[in-house]
């Protein structure tokens, strides 16, 4: 099947052969271009896809190993939150590692919550200039809200959704004339 992943080969390449150098080391600083490159090549997404395929094959233990590996090699304090972290969270849920999924969700909400609090505290014209960052933050958290609901965390998903709705309502009110 053309769309199928050969998980044995991919696992061997991603876990045993490919190295991320010293990216995770404390004394290494990754500049914008390195971080951007890791996003462009979809580094975290490759591991999330492998983990999801391993779950489909019934190997949850190996899936969790893959996820733990990439989170260790490309930690959030070195490579910030990106568009592929919801995939990592979903893969943890799929593999049955609810604890790590929920921990990442809590950290993600804190990270993007701080981002949204900052941007929505700005004057309307400055807030509108940060529209991309606001929309991105809302989008990632919205995606995670849906993941929560899909994996039995309805209360958390609803809580996230309600939070996003309140932030978005305040944003619209402030930028559409209510706060100018």
């Amino acid at each position: 099947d053309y769309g199928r992943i050969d998980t044995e080969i991919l696992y061997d390449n991603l876990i045993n052969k490919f190295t991320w150098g010293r990216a995770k080391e404390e004394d290494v600083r990754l500049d914008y271009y390195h971080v951007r490159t890791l996003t462009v090549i979809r580094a975290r997404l490759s591991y999330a896809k492998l983990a999801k395929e391993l779950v489909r094959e019934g190997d949850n233990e190996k899936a969790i190993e893959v996820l733990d590996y990439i989170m260790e090699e490309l930690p959030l304090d070195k490579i910030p939150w990106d568009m592929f972290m919801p995939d990592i969270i979903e893969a943890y849920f799929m593999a049955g590692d609810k604890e790590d999924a929920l921990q990442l969700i809590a950290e993600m909400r804190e990270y993007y919550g701080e981002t949204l609090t900052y941007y929505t505290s700005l004057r309307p014209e400055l807030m509108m200039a940060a529209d991309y960052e606001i929309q991105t933050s809302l989008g990632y958290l919205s995606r995670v809200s849906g993941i929560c609901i899909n994996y039995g965390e309805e209360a958390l998903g609803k809580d996230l959704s309600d939070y996003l709705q309140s932030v978005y309502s305040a944003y619209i009110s402030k930028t559409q004339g209510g706060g100018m």
Side-chain angles (χ1 to χ4, degrees):
D1 183 30
Y2 178 74
R4 300 284 297 166
I5 298 172
D6 186 332
T7 54
E8 288 181 37
I9 292 171
L10 193 54
Y11 176 89
D12 187 48
N13 286 331
L14 290 177
I15 302 297
N16 298 322
K17 293 182 181 170
F18 187 81
T19 64
W20 292 103
R22 297 184 63 242
K24 68 182 175 185
E25 301 303 325
E26 197 171 306
D27 65 332
V28 173
R29 183 189 177 288
L30 299 173
D31 65 10
Y32 168 81
Y33 298 101
H34 287 92
V35 171
R36 181 74 179 131
T37 298
L38 290 169
T39 302
V40 168
I41 66 167
R42 302 174 179 190
R44 287 183 177 139
L45 182 61
S46 296
Y47 288 82
K49 282 182 167 183
L50 173 58
K52 289 176 181 181
E53 190 61 30
L54 287 165
V55 168
R56 285 183 196 95
E57 293 177 359
D59 199 342
N60 291 5
E61 187 176 312
K62 204 175 220 180
I64 293 168
E65 177 189 340
V66 166
L67 296 167
D68 289 346
Y69 175 83
I70 195 58
M71 293 308 298
E72 181 182 327
E73 292 298 313
L74 300 179
L76 290 166
D77 64 335
K78 301 295 272 203
I79 310 295
W81 293 89
D82 61 29
M83 67 190 85
F84 305 117
M85 284 306 298
D87 293 291
I88 296 286
I89 290 168
E90 182 175 39
Y92 270 121
F93 270 127
M94 288 175 71
D97 189 345
K98 183 176 169 180
E99 184 179 331
D100 280 334
L102 293 174
Q103 179 63 41
L104 284 172
I105 291 167
E107 292 174 21
M108 184 179 211
R109 182 177 180 159
E110 181 179 350
Y111 178 83
Y112 285 114
E114 289 174 4
T115 299
L116 290 166
T117 297
Y118 171 73
Y119 285 126
T120 58
S121 73
L122 299 173
R123 295 187 321 260
E125 63 275 10
L126 294 175
M127 189 187 321
M128 289 171 63
D131 184 66
Y132 176 79
E133 289 80 5
I134 293 168
Q135 295 300 329
T136 298
S137 299
L138 291 170
Y140 296 164
L141 286 172
S142 177
R143 194 162 159 227
V144 169
S145 171
I147 290 168
C148 288
I149 292 166
N150 287 341
Y151 289 92
E153 295 295 323
E154 292 87 1
L156 179 57
K158 182 176 179 345
D159 182 54
L160 276 171
S161 181
D162 291 347
Y163 167 72
L164 294 171
Q165 184 60 46
S166 70
V167 169
Y168 187 71
S169 294
Y171 169 72
I172 292 299
S173 173
K174 198 169 179 181
T175 58
Q176 304 280 315
M180 290 186 171

